[in-house]
């Protein structure tokens, strides 16, 4: 472990340091080889999981603060600055508020389903954090099918919306739940098809391969710059993903004016806090994946020489994308149900189907014909 | 590392899942619960297909017949569920019941 | 190849306990004063009429529109499952690679066109 | 039996027991909505079993299609036929006892049959990502079924729409 690689990529260096130290320690203690390998694997896995599970809520809390500040700035007001210096302790105050508010559960409610709905809303999002690559070699797990795993976890969220709507035994919650479920499934198709474009360009479904494939011109060869295909796929992905987590301008199921509060009408206290947590973890997740597959994640100039820069690049791009989503919230009105459904099925799905075929033809032409000519021209 | 689990365990598990699904299909009164039983049976068949691919095929990478077959079974199960549930909804709208025993118009 | 999914299993276990901890903490800290009025379902002010016979009056009937969106979703979800292996298939040099998927997609674009023509997609 | 074999067997038993318990719940629970949620639990268990058989793509397809699409379809159908649901009493019809007996005999027969047949164990390791080879095989040896699937989906869509139309 020479000192240079430690300075240039501290977190991965630290991880290797702990792991090697632990293995030596266990081997010295006379534990047989393969059991030490298992024990070390288990302990390092636990370490990575706790780091990610501490990172996630902290990021979520400060995204709520960022949202209130950015939206406030857009509406010419200051945003929270009372609690703590510059309002930095505001998220902690929110969390305590969720802890101590009374949880009113109306009678006639289907208790197990009512309690399970917020838990199932949070579990898939937290599991999707496993595959995000925070920096060079800094992903908790590098699955061969990372992006498909992410989309599968996204599709599990529909079940929690049904449970919330059905378990609350309330007319508004039921209508809101059904509408939210219809909207989520209508926008899941364009999202999955839009993610298929970078998979086609990179030739692999694993997230680290997709990021690796974007290290073109001086670390700036992102898929977003593949002009005809990249930008369109990115905008379709952003719109579809925003619609899938029911955020403005597609937040019709929670439309305060019409449906009281949609499927989480009968929730209060910490259970509502979990829905709130799931929504903001989703916002971070969508921006992180959008940055990774369209803007090259931790790719950037000099990232090969100084891997530690990768973390700055990744978080910079993700925060920019989060601000774009908050900009949606500040600027755009809520759109009607039929416009929402028409836009999803009649505009986004045909565009993405055409996009995939066009990318395939472009790749075949680029790879097939040029290599063929090069073979003869050679 | 994975081959410590003998093939027989997967087959017994698939057989048990198939029997539970069959019991669900035969003994439930509600049409949607019958369809759920059929989905369980199809899942049991898929487990067998994948188990035989993993333990039986000489070269599991190049020759993935079991996986492809299981993929087509999943597609078929989805199409069957879509049409079956459409039927259930149409019957519910006209006869106002999903109780399998009451849908016996063909019995004279 | 399996070690990665062992870590995902660990993540799943942690992800399940992750929301349960604040729920338990909240259960300990929050005040518990249930009253009859607080416990009634939320009808924004108007008195709810849960007549005795069909307490199920709460379940309002729904149009079939929701189910049609679900069918369309199932059909296109399966198409996506066939797009991904094709996208990473190894024989990407030949022209057939594009033509096969073009046929597959055109038939499903036909399905979408059928749904569009029969204005299935309208939010009635 | 060294450590990894014990762990593998242990994990298999835990997953198998959970899957069968969820399957039993799907079949025995009276309220159809709870049965649908137990069905989702069973699908997760079957996806875990595919992972143990190292069929990675199939495990994720199982979660994406079965839980993301078919379970949602079933939940929508349960919602649409909700009004009638509460009145009927027991969820099973009269001859469930005979059905249970016949199926127990069937399971016993299968159990004995499975134990007697000398299954072949090829046991070659899956050392790399199998999805690209699956894609290639899907487009070469199984090309015709691949194209017929889209025709099947078209037929299913049109059929379901005409049946379910108002």
């Amino acid at each position: 472990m020479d000192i240079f690689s430690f300075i240039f990529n501290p977190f991965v260096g630290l991880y290797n340091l702990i792991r090697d130290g632990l293995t030596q320690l266990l081997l010295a203690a006379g534990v047989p080889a393969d059991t030490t390998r298992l024990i070390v694997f288990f302990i390092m896995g636990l370490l990575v999981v706790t780091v990610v599970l501490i990172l996630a809520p902290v990021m979520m809390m400060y995204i709520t603060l960022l949202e209130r500040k950015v939206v406030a700035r857009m509406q010419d007001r200051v945003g929270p600055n009372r609690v703590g210096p510059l309002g930095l302790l505001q998220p902690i105050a929110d969390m305590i508020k969720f802890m101590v508010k009374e949880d009113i559960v109306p009678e006639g409610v289907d208790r197990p389903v009512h309690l399970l709905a917020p838990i199932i809303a949070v579990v898939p999002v937290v599991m999707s954090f496993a595959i995000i690559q925070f920096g060079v070699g800094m992903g908790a797990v590098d699955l061969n099918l990372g992006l498909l795993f992410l989309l599968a976890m996204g599709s599990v969220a529909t079940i929690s919306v049904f449970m919330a709507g059905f378990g609350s035994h309330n007319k508004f919650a039921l209508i809101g739940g059904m509408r939210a479920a219809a909207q989520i499934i209508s926008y899941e198709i364009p999202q999955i098809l839009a993610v298929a474009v970078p998979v086609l360009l990179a030739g692999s479904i694993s997230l680290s391969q997709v990021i690796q494939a974007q290290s073109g011109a001086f670390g700036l060869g992102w898929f977003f710059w593949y002009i005809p295909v990249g930008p369109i796929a990115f905008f379709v992905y952003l719109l579809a993903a925003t619609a899938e987590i029911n955020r403005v301008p597609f937040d019709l199921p929670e439309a305060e004016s019409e449906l009281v509060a949609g499927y989480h009408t009968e929730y209060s206290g910490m259970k509502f806090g979990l829905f709130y947590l799931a929504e903001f973890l989703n916002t971070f997740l969508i921006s992180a994946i959008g940055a990774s597959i369209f803007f090259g994640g931790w790719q950037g100039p000099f990232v090969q020489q100084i891997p530690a820069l990768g973390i700055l690049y990744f978080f910079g791009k993700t925060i920019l994308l989060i601000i774009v989503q908050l900009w949606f919230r500040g600027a755009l009105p809520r759109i009607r149900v039929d416009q929402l459904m028409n836009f999803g099925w009649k505009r986004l799905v045909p565009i993405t189907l055409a996009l995939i075929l066009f990318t395939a033809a472009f790749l075949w032409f680029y790879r097939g014909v040029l290599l063929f000519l090069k073979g003869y021209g050679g | 590392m994975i081959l410590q689990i003998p093939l027989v365990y997967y087959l017994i598990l698939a057989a048990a899942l198939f029997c539970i699904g069959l019991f669900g299909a035969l003994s439930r009164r509600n049409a949607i619960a019958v369809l759920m039983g059929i989905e369980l049976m199809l899942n049991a068949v898929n487990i067998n297909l994948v188990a035989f691919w993993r333990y039986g095929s000489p070269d599991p990478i190049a020759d993935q017949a079991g996986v492809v077959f299981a993929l087509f079974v999943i597609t078929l199960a989805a199409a069957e569920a879509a049409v079956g549930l459409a039927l259930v909804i149409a019957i519910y709208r006209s006869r106002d019941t999903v109780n399998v025993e009451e849908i016996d118009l063909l019995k004279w | 190849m399996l070690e990665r999914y062992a870590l995902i299993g660990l993540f799943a276990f942690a992800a399940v306990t992750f929301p349960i901890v604040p729920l338990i903490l909240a259960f300990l800290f929050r005040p518990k004063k249930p009253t009859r009025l607080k416990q009634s379902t939320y009808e924004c002010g108007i008195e709810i009429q849960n007549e005795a016979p069909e307490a199920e009056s709460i379940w309002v009937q729904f149009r079939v529109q929701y189910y049609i969106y679900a069918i369309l979703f199932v059909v296109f979800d399966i198409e996506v499952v066939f797009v991904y292996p094709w996208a990473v298939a190894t024989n990407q040099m030949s022209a057939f690679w594009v033509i096969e998927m073009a046929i597959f997609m055109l038939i499903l674009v036909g399905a979408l066109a059928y749904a569009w023509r029969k204005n299935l997609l309208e939010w009635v | 039996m060294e450590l990894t074999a014990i762990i593998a067997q242990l994990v298999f038993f835990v997953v198998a027991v959970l899957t069968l318990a969820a399957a039993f719940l799907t079949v025995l629970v009276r309220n159809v909505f709870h049965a649908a949620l137990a069905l989702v639990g069973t699908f997760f268990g079957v996806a875990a079993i595919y992972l143990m058989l190292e069929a990675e793509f199939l495990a994720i397809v199982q979660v994406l299609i079965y839980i993301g699409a078919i379970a949602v379809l079933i939940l929508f159908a349960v919602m649409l036929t909700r009004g009638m649901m509460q009145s009927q009493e027991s969820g099973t019809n009269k001859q469930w006892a005979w059905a249970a007996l016949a199926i127990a005999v069937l399971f016993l027969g299968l159990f004995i049959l499975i134990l007697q047949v000398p299954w072949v164990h090829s046991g070659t390791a899956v050392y790399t990502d199998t999805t690209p080879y699956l894609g290639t095989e899907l487009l070469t040896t199984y090309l015709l079924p691949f194209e017929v699937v889209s025709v099947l989906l078209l037929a299913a869509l049109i059929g379901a729409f005409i049946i379910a139309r108002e």
Side-chain angles (χ1 to χ4, degrees):
Chain A
M1 261 310 293
D2 54 351
I3 202 64
F4 276 106
S5 74
F6 192 90
I7 292 172
F8 287 151
N9 199 348
F11 291 105
V12 175
L14 197 66
Y15 177 87
N16 295 340
L17 202 68
I18 297 173
R19 191 184 48 198
D20 301 343
L22 209 59
T23 344
Q24 260 75 27
L25 195 74
L26 281 172
L27 285 179
V31 178
D34 71 337
T35 26
T36 40
R37 196 176 62 78
L38 275 174
I39 295 168
V40 163
F41 172 79
F42 188 70
I43 290 172
M44 294 315 285
L46 221 57
L47 189 71
V48 166
V49 164
T50 40
V51 164
V52 170
L53 285 192
I54 291 165
L55 198 72
V58 167
M59 270 192 292
M60 169 257 165
M61 285 201 286
Y62 283 96
I63 293 175
T64 45
L65 179 64
L66 182 70
E67 164 167 44
R68 290 171 66 172
K69 282 278 185 186
V70 165
V71 173
R73 278 290 182 274
M74 284 181 193
Q75 297 160 357
D76 244 350
R77 49 188 175 82
V78 181
N81 56 8
R82 286 290 177 276
V83 187
L86 276 173
L88 286 179
L89 298 184
Q90 176 67 32
I92 296 161
D94 289 346
M95 203 187 71
I96 295 168
K97 180 196 76 177
F98 277 131
M99 283 287 176
V100 293
K101 269 188 83 167
E102 186 184 6
D103 183 7
I104 301 160
V105 179
E107 27 79 10
V109 149
D110 190 335
R111 292 200 84 83
V113 175
H114 187 76
L115 176 68
L116 265 176
I119 294 174
I120 291 190
V122 171
V123 164
V125 187
V126 170
M127 278 176 69
S128 312
F129 269 72
I131 61 154
I132 299 180
Q133 307 280 340
F134 294 101
V136 184
M138 278 175 58
V141 183
D142 175 19
L143 294 183
N144 290 333
L145 302 174
L147 284 172
L148 259 185
F149 174 79
L150 180 87
L151 297 166
M153 284 303 128
S155 72
V156 171
T158 323
I159 307 283
S160 98
V161 166
F162 263 108
M163 291 166 77
F166 191 85
S168 307
H169 199 63
N170 167 334
K171 246 205 298 285
F172 294 111
L174 195 61
I175 298 176
M178 294 278 275
R179 262 197 198 177
Q183 175 185 328
I184 287 175
I185 58 175
S186 300
Y187 278 89
E188 209 169 308
I189 301 295
Q191 181 187 10
I192 298 179
L193 288 171
V195 170
V197 170
V199 166
L200 253 172
L201 292 173
S204 150
I205 305 178
S206 135
L207 189 59
S208 56
Q209 297 290 334
V210 170
I211 297 175
Q212 207 66 37
Q214 297 178 52
S215 64
F218 199 55
L220 291 171
W222 304 334
F223 283 148
F224 186 75
W225 308 123
Y226 286 53
I227 281 309
V229 167
I232 304 173
F234 170 67
F235 288 128
V236 169
Y237 168 77
L238 195 65
L239 290 179
T242 315
E244 205 177 304
I245 53 169
N246 295 349
R247 272 184 67 82
V248 177
F250 304 98
D251 72 341
L252 194 84
E254 293 130 27
E256 289 70 23
S257 49
E258 298 122 23
L259 271 175
V260 180
Y263 54 88
H264 33 70
T265 315
E266 293 294 348
Y267 284 91
S268 56
M270 199 52 205
K271 289 194 198 121
F272 179 73
L274 285 182
F275 279 114
Y276 196 72
L277 171 77
E279 184 185 336
F280 280 98
L281 285 183
N282 257 322
T283 316
F284 178 81
L285 188 70
I286 284 166
S287 316
I289 293 303
S292 301
I293 55 179
F294 286 105
F295 292 97
W298 44 260
Q299 293 286 4
F302 299 118
V303 97
Q304 301 313 337
Q305 294 77 6
I306 312 167
L309 276 176
I311 306 167
L312 296 182
Y313 289 139
F314 172 75
F315 278 104
K317 291 172 193 166
T318 311
I319 287 170
L320 276 179
L321 275 182
I322 290 176
I323 289 177
V324 165
Q325 293 209 333
L326 303 183
W327 181 22
F328 280 167
R329 188 188 175 97
L332 295 179
R334 178 179 307 123
I335 63 176
R336 273 203 332 261
V337 178
D338 52 348
Q339 287 169 336
L340 186 98
M341 289 300 180
N342 282 351
F343 181 66
W345 285 106
K346 292 185 180 168
R347 301 294 181 271
L348 293 190
V349 170
I351 292 174
T352 38
L353 290 176
L355 219 58
I356 288 180
L357 275 185
F358 180 77
T359 329
F362 168 76
L363 280 176
W364 166 68
F365 177 75
Y366 170 73
R367 286 198 190 126
V369 172
L370 290 188
L371 290 182
F372 179 75
L373 294 178
K374 203 180 291 173
Y376 279 95
Chain B
M1 188 271 268
I2 202 52
L3 290 180
Q4 280 88 4
I5 302 168
L7 173 62
V8 180
Y9 289 4
Y10 291 105
L11 300 184
I12 293 168
L13 175 69
L17 201 60
F18 183 84
C19 291
I20 295 171
L22 188 61
F23 176 71
L26 290 183
S27 73
R28 289 292 287 212
R29 198 192 289 266
N30 182 325
I32 300 175
V34 169
L35 276 171
M36 283 194 233
I38 295 171
E39 293 298 330
L40 281 182
M41 290 155 72
L42 285 165
N43 269 331
V45 166
N46 269 348
I47 293 178
N48 265 354
L49 283 169
V50 178
F52 283 126
W53 160 70
R54 184 65 191 83
Y55 285 83
S57 91
D59 174 7
I61 302 287
D63 157 33
Q64 303 199 3
V67 176
V68 167
F69 213 87
L71 208 58
F72 287 139
V73 167
I74 288 182
T75 316
L76 217 62
E80 174 260 340
V83 176
L85 290 168
L87 274 172
V88 166
I89 288 172
I91 291 170
Y92 174 72
R93 214 179 314 114
S94 64
R95 304 270 309 234
D96 205 8
T97 166
V98 275
N99 186 337
V100 175
E101 281 151 1
E102 287 161 21
I103 307 167
D104 52 5
L105 198 58
L106 294 183
K107 201 193 291 178
W108 51 274
Chain C
M1 217 264 288
L2 200 68
E3 288 71 23
R4 297 189 189 132
Y5 280 93
L7 210 52
I8 287 285
L10 203 64
F11 245 91
F13 182 71
V16 169
T17 51
F18 179 69
I20 289 175
V21 164
L23 278 177
I24 293 168
L25 282 179
F27 179 77
L28 301 177
F29 290 133
R30 61 172 179 245
K32 284 181 258 312
K33 289 188 275 299
T35 63
R36 187 78 189 81
L37 193 62
K38 264 194 222 175
Q39 300 262 317
S40 66
T41 30
Y42 182 74
E43 289 290 294
C44 53
I46 46 176
E47 198 41 48
I48 59 169
Q49 334 80 6
N50 50 4
E51 302 82 9
E54 71 287 340
E56 289 324 306
S57 70
I58 266 186
W59 306 124
V60 66
Q61 270 315 339
F62 289 94
R63 294 176 310 285
V64 169
Q65 186 63 45
Y66 293 105
Y67 185 71
I68 290 178
Y69 282 119
I71 303 171
L72 276 161
F73 171 63
V74 165
V75 166
F76 282 97
D77 212 9
I78 293 170
E79 180 207 356
V80 157
V81 158
F82 283 99
V83 158
Y84 272 82
W86 161 77
V88 289
T90 49
N91 62 347
Q92 303 204 337
M93 297 312 155
S94 70
F96 299 112
W97 177 66
V98 180
I99 295 165
E100 282 149 9
M101 185 41 91
I103 299 169
F104 187 81
M105 281 213 178
L106 285 182
I107 294 176
L108 283 167
V109 163
L112 187 67
Y114 170 83
W116 196 326
R117 274 280 291 117
K118 293 280 177 183
N119 53 47
L120 251 137
L121 305 171
E122 296 309 321
W123 181 274
V124 77
Chain D
M1 273 239 278
E2 8 86 358
L3 194 59
T4 46
I6 296 168
I7 292 178
Q9 305 246 349
L10 189 69
V11 168
F12 176 80
F13 280 121
V14 166
V15 168
V17 163
L18 285 179
T19 314
L20 290 181
F24 265 114
L25 268 179
T26 314
V27 162
L28 297 179
V29 163
R30 204 169 53 80
N31 177 337
V32 185
F33 190 78
H34 292 168
L37 296 182
L39 190 69
V40 168
T42 322
F43 290 154
F44 269 119
V46 172
I49 288 179
Y50 288 159
L51 279 182
M52 300 200 66
L53 285 163
E54 291 185 326
E56 198 177 353
F57 179 70
L58 213 55
I60 291 181
V61 159
Q62 164 92 0
V63 173
L64 197 69
I65 296 272
Y66 265 112
I67 295 171
I70 296 181
V72 166
L73 207 64
I74 291 176
L75 287 169
F76 265 123
V78 166
M79 291 276 195
L80 286 181
T81 58
R82 181 84 193 96
M84 199 286 285
M85 206 55 64
Q86 289 307 71
S87 54
Q88 43 92 5
E89 346 58 41
S90 89
T92 59
N93 48 32
K94 289 181 293 303
Q95 68 272 24
W96 68 272
W98 294 106
L101 189 68
I103 288 164
V105 167
L106 168 75
F107 177 68
L108 209 61
L110 282 175
F111 190 82
I112 295 163
L113 180 71
I114 290 170
L115 287 185
Q116 264 145 15
V117 174
W119 301 105
V120 66
H121 272 238
S122 92
T124 48
V126 171
Y127 44 82
T128 167
D129 179 10
T130 57
T131 321
Y133 299 94
L134 174 69
T136 317
E137 200 170 340
L138 210 56
L139 292 173
T140 47
T141 35
Y142 298 100
L143 179 59
L144 186 61
F146 174 76
E147 302 300 347
V148 165
V149 154
S150 57
V151 177
L152 172 95
L153 291 176
L154 181 63
L157 177 87
I158 296 173
F161 163 60
I162 287 176
I163 296 167
R165 191 171 41 175
E166 229 91 67

